[in-house]
Amino acid sequence: MYSLVMSSDDSAWITPVGTAQLSSFSLSRYLEYTDAALEEKLKPVSSSTLSFLSEIPTIFLSELRNDYENNRHEYLTMRVGRVWNLQVVGNEIRYEFCIDRDFGEITVHDRRQFELAFELGRWELNRTHWAVKKGDLMQSLNHAGLAEHFNNLAPAMAVNVPPPPDEPPSDQPVVTNVEEYMAYVLSLNPAADEEIFYRGHSDRKYRLEPTLFRRNERGEFRYLQKEATLVREILTAQANEFSSDQYMLDRLVRMQHFGLPTRLLDVTSNPLIALYFCCSSTKYDVDGNEIDGEVIVLATKSENVMFFDSDTVSCVANLCLMSEGDQDALDTSQDKTAFNVTPACQKLLHFIRREKPYFENRIDPADLDRILFVRGRNTNARIISQSGAFLIFGKDAVLPETGHSSLNLHRITVRDKAAILGQLAKLNIKSSTVYPGIEKATAEIANKYELN
C-alpha cells in the first residue's frame, strides 16, 4: 500500500534529497481515486487515519505533461519518499515530507501500461489529487518498467488500516417511530436567526454529496470531468424545456428534476418529507437485516440562505459551463484583485454576464469553493410539495464525510422503516403527495386495493 500524491505544480517537492520539508495539500482532493472500501476506512479525516499515511511510502508525481513541439512523448516528474506529522488546518492537510529518491522527468511511452501499473483511473493523470493505492509500490514500479531505478527501496511492510465503523456513533440518536423522530427534531431549538434543512438517506452510509461528485468503486468520478458536456448536450437536445429559465441555477434545478447529474443536492425544510425519503426504500444486508437509514439535519444562519438571483449563486452555478481544465485554472488561493484578471476568471465572468450583463469583475475566489444553501424558484409542483431547497457545491468544496466541512449538521439513525411509512401515511405524507402527478396517484390507488 502507498500514497500517490499528484499535482499540476510540483515545485514544493523540488528539494534536496534526504531533507525534511513542510508542505500542504487541498483537503477537498484527498482520497480521490482511492478504492471505495479503503476510502471508507480512512474517513472521517482524523489524527488516527492521517497517521496511517506515515506508515506507508509515498510517490510524488506531477500531472502528465507533453512537449509535442520538440517531438517528445508525454512525461511527468517522479519522486519517492515519506510523509509524517499530518494534520488538518483549515481546508488543507499540512504535512512534513522527505524525498528519498528524485528521478526527475520520466517519459511515459505507454500511457495505458503506466495507468495499469499504478492502478490509475481514467483522467487521473490529469488531476491534482491525493490517493491511497492498495498495491505494493515496488510491484507497481516493476510493472511500469522502472524497478531497476529503485533497487534500494525498502520492501513493503504490513500496515494496520483503521477499521470502518459498523455502528452509528454512540451519541447519534436512533429512532424507530415518528414520535421519537419529532421529539428529537423539536428539541433542536434553533436560534431566531437560524434555519434548518433536512435530507433523508435510505442507507446511513450514503454520502452527502451531489450526483456529479459521486465516484465508482475504483474511486473514479463518474461524471465530473464531463460536466460541461452534460450541460451543453441537454441544453441543445431539449432547448424548449429551458427557454423560460433566466438563470443558470434555474436550468440546473430543471436538469436535476429530470435526472441529470448536477452540483445540486436536494434538501427540504420539512422534517417529515426527509423522513419519508429515508424510509421509502427499505434495503437489506446479506443476512436479511434491514439497513439503517439516516436523516441529516443541517443548520445555518438565515443570512447564509441565498435566493435564485444571488450573485454568489450565479458564480458557482456557472462553473458548470467550464471544462475541467478551465475550472482547475481558477486559483482560489489568490487575492480578489489578482484572481479577477486571470484568463480563467474572465471566462467565468463571460458566462455569468449572459444572465447578468451588469456583473462586475469582483468575484470573491473563496466563494467558488463553498457549499451554499439556495432557495430555488417554485417552478414545479414537486419543489412546492417537498418544501424543496438545494445545496450547491463549489468546485473544490470540502465534503461533509471528511469531518471538516463548513456545514453544521446532525445525523439521526432511522430503523423500522415500514412501520414509520405507515405512520407517515396517516399524516398524508405518501408518494402521491410527495410526488404530485397522476402517475404516483394511480399507482398508490392500485396498491391500496390490490388483492394479495
Side-chain angles (χ1 to χ4, degrees):
M1 198 172 297
Y2 58 94
S3 283
L4 186 150
V5 190
M6 181 172 289
S7 178
S8 59
D9 179 7
D10 64 342
S11 58
W13 305 327
I14 303 176
T15 64
V17 171
T19 62
Q21 304 289 336
L22 180 66
S23 189
S24 63
F25 201 88
S26 173
L27 178 59
S28 66
R29 300 289 184 99
Y30 177 55
L31 295 181
E32 291 186 358
Y33 291 98
T34 299
D35 176 80
L38 178 57
E39 180 188 3
E40 184 180 345
K41 296 178 180 180
L42 296 174
K43 284 186 175 179
V45 183
S46 64
S47 57
S48 61
T49 56
L50 284 174
S51 65
F52 162 74
L53 300 180
S54 64
E55 303 177 32
I56 59 178
T58 300
I59 184 167
F60 302 87
L61 299 173
S62 71
E63 289 184 19
L64 195 64
R65 300 166 179 170
N66 61 67
D67 187 9
Y68 296 134
E69 292 182 0
N70 296 314
N71 296 319
R72 289 188 56 184
H73 288 84
E74 295 174 317
Y75 69 96
L76 45 73
T77 64
M78 178 182 291
R79 301 168 178 87
V80 172
R82 295 158 285 137
V83 296
W84 67 92
N85 195 21
L86 300 99
Q87 54 186 317
V88 176
V89 180
N91 290 337
E92 295 182 329
I93 297 177
R94 299 277 178 87
Y95 65 97
E96 293 185 63
F97 72 97
C98 175
I99 301 298
D100 296 325
R101 299 289 298 273
D102 185 341
F103 294 91
E105 294 179 359
I106 299 291
T107 300
V108 180
H109 296 286
D110 187 331
R111 179 170 178 165
R112 185 56 183 156
Q113 179 186 351
F114 193 89
E115 290 174 336
L116 291 172
F118 291 98
E119 306 174 29
L120 301 179
R122 289 167 292 182
W123 300 294
E124 187 171 355
L125 280 168
N126 301 104
R127 183 171 174 84
T128 295
H129 67 285
W130 187 320
V132 177
K133 301 298 184 180
K134 295 190 300 181
D136 176 75
L137 180 55
M138 193 63 195
Q139 291 181 2
S140 294
L141 293 167
N142 185 52
H143 292 157
L146 300 168
E148 67 273 14
H149 300 298
F150 294 82
N151 49 17
N152 295 325
L153 190 67
M157 300 187 335
V159 292
N160 296 316
V161 183
D166 292 325
E167 295 294 330
S170 57
D171 59 345
Q172 183 169 318
V174 178
V175 301
T176 58
N177 54 58
V178 172
E179 295 91 335
E180 293 174 348
Y181 174 74
M182 287 306 301
Y184 178 80
V185 168
L186 293 173
S187 72
L188 294 174
N189 292 323
D193 61 345
E194 279 189 329
E195 293 191 41
I196 294 184
F197 297 90
Y198 307 85
R199 179 173 171 85
H201 288 166
S202 59
D203 186 336
R204 71 174 186 85
K205 292 185 178 179
Y206 287 168
R207 299 175 180 176
L208 190 66
E209 62 187 13
T211 309
L212 185 72
F213 285 37
R214 292 176 187 169
R215 290 175 266 170
N216 60 24
E217 290 298 313
R218 298 182 300 277
E220 302 169 320
F221 286 102
R222 297 167 62 190
Y223 308 105
L224 184 60
Q225 282 86 357
K226 296 296 182 181
E227 178 185 21
T229 302
L230 289 169
V231 169
R232 284 187 169 86
E233 282 207 15
I234 193 63
L235 289 176
T236 302
Q238 298 292 331
N240 289 336
E241 289 285 344
F242 301 93
S243 59
S244 63
D245 295 330
Q246 180 179 357
Y247 301 109
M248 180 52 70
L249 177 69
D250 297 330
R251 300 184 186 97
L252 290 177
V253 169
R254 195 178 302 277
M255 294 173 195
Q256 176 93 345
H257 174 74
F258 288 107
L260 193 79
T262 73
R263 55 181 60 243
L264 298 179
L265 188 69
D266 300 84
V267 293
T268 176
S269 56
N270 187 334
L272 293 177
I273 293 293
L275 184 60
Y276 171 83
F277 282 118
C278 171
C279 299
S280 61
S281 176
T282 303
K283 300 178 181 295
Y284 299 91
D285 61 21
V286 293
D287 297 321
N289 301 312
E290 181 183 279
I291 294 175
D292 290 346
E294 186 174 69
V295 171
I296 302 167
V297 185
L298 304 110
T300 186
K301 295 289 186 182
S302 298
E303 63 186 23
N304 293 332
V305 181
M306 301 182 180
F307 291 90
F308 64 92
D309 59 350
S310 159
D311 286 348
T312 304
V313 171
S314 289
C315 292
V316 177
N318 278 281
L319 289 171
C320 72
L321 293 172
M322 301 183 71
S323 67
E324 184 188 24
D326 288 336
Q327 289 190 35
D328 282 343
L330 294 167
D331 183 359
T332 55
S333 66
Q334 292 181 301
D335 64 67
K336 185 185 295 187
T337 302
F339 177 80
N340 277 270
V341 297
T342 61
C345 183
Q346 290 297 311
K347 182 170 289 190
L348 177 59
L349 285 165
H350 168 74
F351 294 131
I352 296 171
R353 285 169 178 157
R354 288 180 180 178
E355 61 188 55
K356 296 179 175 178
Y358 61 84
F359 198 91
E360 298 179 3
N361 57 336
R362 293 189 296 164
I363 295 176
D364 184 344
D367 286 339
L368 301 181
D369 288 335
R370 292 173 60 191
I371 301 175
L372 307 174
F373 288 86
V374 187
R375 292 191 188 279
R377 287 195 278 192
N378 292 332
T379 53
N380 63 66
R382 184 178 295 185
I383 293 179
I384 298 171
S385 66
Q386 296 176 6
S387 303
F390 303 93
L391 295 176
I392 183 167
F393 285 63
K395 79 179 194 74
D396 280 323
V398 177
L399 301 181
E401 277 64 30
T402 65
H404 299 274
S405 170
S406 60
L407 296 179
N408 176 18
L409 55 85
H410 308 274
R411 299 176 185 268
I412 307 172
T413 298
V414 179
R415 294 173 179 164
D416 203 1
K417 299 175 190 173
I420 291 176
L421 274 181
Q423 290 182 306
L424 289 172
K426 294 178 181 179
L427 300 173
N428 203 34
I429 306 293
K430 50 189 177 180
S431 62
S432 59
T433 56
V434 173
Y435 297 101
I438 192 170
E439 297 90 350
K440 289 292 183 180
T442 54
E444 187 174 281
I445 292 170
N447 290 334
K448 182 178 179 179
Y449 294 104
E450 181 180 5
L451 181 64
N452 295 319

